[in-house]
Amino acid sequence: MRAGRLAAAALLLGPLLVCAAPLRSQEADPPPSAPRACPPPRPGRYLITARGRLPEGPVARLMQETWTAEGTVEGVLMERRGRTYRRVGYSGTWKELIPCAASVQRRLPPPGPPAASPPPSPAVAADAEGEAGESTTEPPGVSQPSELVIGPDGRPRFGIDVTPGSVISERWRLQPRRACSASTLDGVMVGPGNGFAWTGSRWAPLALIQRQTWQGGAVVGVAVTSLEGKGSVSAFRGQASVEESCLGTLRQQDAAGRTITGVLVAHSDGSGFAALRTQPDQPALLLMERVGPVPPSAPGP
């Protein structure tokens, strides 16, 4: 009789025990492994190009920024904000947010009306039209925060300006600590650019590509430009000045006599440069890369 009751209990409990076995097995499985963490953000000097919009209009920026191992930041900002250009020094801090992401907090002078233009360098004509002045005397007081993604080598690669009201993306490039000069950029450069042009009542989208030949600061080239789909092709020549810090100025004039002025940051390894137009009607960035040496027929300084 007792044996019969045990057999009946086994029949009733058997399915429950069978069902429970997989549950115990699942609970014992280890959790999935976490993705491999990125290395910590890498201190160094960086070239940053940024463009987008603020409530008051389009904005384009060039920055050369140095991160220290202690978490501090020093840099130079060259910015076109609508029709106003400024160049200011700044300081700040950086930190890792989570693996593969970091933030930087810059402390900048508040934007204001353009000051009188400073004397240009000897390599650039003194009558550079449309080049607004620099302002470096205003007291610091405006925060400009950015959040970044970090590459597998620890270098910041891309960023977003997270200032309220802004829609601005950033591209970061490591800038090794080497002295620059005008001859750093000797060779053939090609690259695209885009931004906006003021039509008298609104900002219209602008796109361009250029081929340039550099030798000792002298530049000749060809530009293809599209303003709202209306294309044009023009040849130009110009002159540039590049400081040891790799910051410089550029002035070009085409066959029709139109003048383009700008500032630039040379890649310290000579592989290219980034330029920002400074005349009030065209906030545009140009990203050039070196594709060949100086040809035999290139212009001299």
Side-chain angles (χ1 to χ4, degrees):
M1 185 73 177
R2 178 180 176 82
R5 286 198 299 269
L6 290 174
L11 290 173
L12 291 173
L13 294 175
L16 296 177
L17 294 173
V18 171
C19 292
L23 293 176
R24 287 196 301 271
S25 175
Q26 289 175 5
E27 291 172 356
D29 288 343
S33 59
R36 185 169 62 88
C38 293
R42 178 176 171 180
R45 187 173 69 165
Y46 294 95
L47 165 59
I48 307 159
T49 56
R51 52 191 158 205
R53 293 192 70 91
L54 292 168
E56 60 266 34
V59 62
R61 296 171 180 156
L62 283 181
M63 290 179 277
Q64 185 163 257
E65 183 170 290
T66 299
W67 287 19
T68 70
E70 293 74 30
T72 62
V73 168
E74 296 288 339
V76 177
L77 165 73
M78 292 161 282
E79 179 184 68
R80 281 295 315 278
R81 184 184 289 243
R83 295 172 60 83
T84 302
Y85 167 73
R86 66 171 180 162
R87 170 176 165 168
V88 294
Y90 62 87
S91 60
T93 58
W94 69 268
K95 66 178 181 179
E96 186 176 36
L97 291 175
I98 59 173
C100 307
S103 69
V104 57
Q105 288 279 349
R106 305 178 184 95
R107 200 69 178 167
L108 296 167
S117 297
S121 59
V124 179
D127 62 345
E129 298 175 354
E131 186 165 341
E134 301 179 3
S135 174
T136 57
T137 59
E138 296 172 290
V142 175
S143 177
Q144 186 190 95
S146 294
E147 295 180 353
L148 326 167
V149 292
I150 305 299
D153 54 2
R155 302 177 187 177
R157 296 290 182 165
F158 296 94
I160 295 289
D161 184 330
V162 292
T163 304
S166 69
V167 183
I168 301 170
S169 60
E170 302 170 347
R171 178 185 292 267
W172 290 59
R173 184 185 190 279
L174 184 66
Q175 180 80 316
R177 286 189 169 277
R178 301 172 188 165
C180 292
S181 67
S183 61
T184 300
L185 299 179
D186 284 359
V188 178
M189 303 277 182
V190 297
N194 59 45
F196 294 88
W198 182 250
T199 65
S201 59
R202 62 185 178 86
W203 292 105
L206 172 72
L208 64 149
I209 52 176
Q210 288 193 2
R211 182 191 190 276
Q212 304 176 353
T213 300
W214 287 64
Q215 187 171 32
V219 186
V220 296
V222 175
V224 181
T225 303
S226 173
L227 178 60
E228 292 192 307
K230 296 179 180 179
S232 64
V233 181
S234 60
F236 63 85
R237 63 178 54 249
Q239 193 73 26
S241 174
V242 181
E243 304 167 3
E244 285 190 11
S245 65
C246 299
L247 307 183
T249 56
L250 177 64
R251 175 185 169 89
Q252 299 172 348
Q253 191 169 52
D254 65 17
R258 292 184 293 261
T259 298
I260 299 294
T261 58
V263 291
L264 63 86
V265 181
H267 298 174
S268 58
D269 60 4
S271 62
F273 68 93
L276 172 67
R277 291 186 171 182
T278 54
Q279 65 264 37
D281 291 339
Q282 288 190 11
L285 277 173
L286 189 65
L287 306 178
M288 303 295 290
E289 61 178 275
R290 187 177 186 271
V291 294
V294 180
S297 59

